[in-house]
């Protein structure tokens, strides 16, 4: 996948099962957001195919999109629209019928029942994230993409979001999330894919990756006591910071 002459993602391949949470990890600029954009069909890769629950993203974009839920870092709903208007708008777009009572019930589940008439811009960051996540799954997608879902959230909201992710997994969705937090990986990911410079460096469960690299010299040099996923990640991707 290219931006002009720059190859941002090169031969990245992975599979997500239903009921599985896959963490896509990599330093800044590694190619995570570009990979998600390709799954969304926003960028067309020069080679390779991407399918969402059997639908080819390039050839069957409508089917693929109908099976995909996306929750982005910055939720950008119309600032002036109320919660109820936003829910009605997206329910309509996805052909989901929701009565006023059902909307109230669903909003109660995520602690927003008292805010139905409030404009989006007046919600707190945590409330905006909860609404954005609700909208991302309003059509019960097979695959949910979460781009740094807990960036900027307080510990309470973070825990709550992890519980929601557990719930989606239990309901049978496949989930891909990008994160820079190893705590998040340990909390919710079944498997991780570490990428850098647009290529896959390692894949496996967090425990597998630690076990596989525990005795590497680079990892040993970094570890303070027990080897952590952080140590493995930094050893694989290098200690230098990225722009
Ligand atoms: N619109 C764009 N035009 C040109 N280059 C881009 C564009 N978007 C991303 N890139 C480049 O593609 C590469 C991958 O970027 P990408 O945003 O996918 O990385 P990332 O892993 O999501 O990073 P971060 O953790 O900082 O969000 C980087 O080298 C980046 O500079």
């Amino acid at each position: 996948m290219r931006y002009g002459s720059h190859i941002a993602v090169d031969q990245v391949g992975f599979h997500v099962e239903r009921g599985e949470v896959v963490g896509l990890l990599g330093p800044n600029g590694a190619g995570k957001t570009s990979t998600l954009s390709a799954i969304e069909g926003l960028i067309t890769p020069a080679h390779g195919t991407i399918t969402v629950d059997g639908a080819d993203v390039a050839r069957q974009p409508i089917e693929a999109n109908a099976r995909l839920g996306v929750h982005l870092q910055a939720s950008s709903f119309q600032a002036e629209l109320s919660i109820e208007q936003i829910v009605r708008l997206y329910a309509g777009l996805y052909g989901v019928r929701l009565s006023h009572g059902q909307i109230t019930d669903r909003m109660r589940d995520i602690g927003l029942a008292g805010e139905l008439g409030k404009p989006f811009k007046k919600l707190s960051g945590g409330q905006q994230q909860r609404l954005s996540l609700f909208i991302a799954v309003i059509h019960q997608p097979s695959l949910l993409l979460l781009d740094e879902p807990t960036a900027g959230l307080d510990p309470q909201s973070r825990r709550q979001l992890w519980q929601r992710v557990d719930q989606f997994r239990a309901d049978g969705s496949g989930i891909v999330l990008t994160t820079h937090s190893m705590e998040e990986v340990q909390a919710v990911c079944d498997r991780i894919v570490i990428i850098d410079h647009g290529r896959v460096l390692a894949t496996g469960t967090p425990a597998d990756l630690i076990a596989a690299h525990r005795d590497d010299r680079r990892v040993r040099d970094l570890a303070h006591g027990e080897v952590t996923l952080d140590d493995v990640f930094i050893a694989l991707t290098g200690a230098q910071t990225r722009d």
Side-chain angles (χ1 to χ4, degrees), residues 22-23 53 79 114 128 132 138 140 161 176 220:
V22 172
D53 197 9
Q128 292 189 350
S132 167
I138 200 166
Q140 298 180 310
L161 191 135
V176 178
R220 291 249 65 95

Side-chain angles (χ1 to χ4, degrees), residues 3 6 8 27-34 148 180:
Y3 297 103
H6 176 64
N28 291 132
K32 303 179 296 295
T33 303
S34 300
E148 295 191 37
H180 290 294

Side-chain angles (χ1 to χ4, degrees), residues 115-137:
E115 322 283 346
L116 277 186
K118 224 183 210 181
F120 183 73
K121 66 177 181 190
K122 294 215 170 147
L123 301 178
S124 72
Q127 289 174 328
Q128 292 189 350
Q129 290 282 67
R130 297 210 291 281
L131 179 65
S132 167
L133 189 57
F134 173 81
I135 298 292
V137 296

Side-chain angles (χ1 to χ4, degrees), residues 3-4 6-9 26-35 43 73 147-148 178 180 195 243:
Y3 297 103
H6 176 64
I7 298 177
V9 178
N28 291 132
K32 303 179 296 295
T33 303
S34 300
T35 302
I43 305 177
Q73 279 172 43
D147 197 5
E148 295 191 37
T178 70
H180 290 294
I195 65 172
D243 290 331

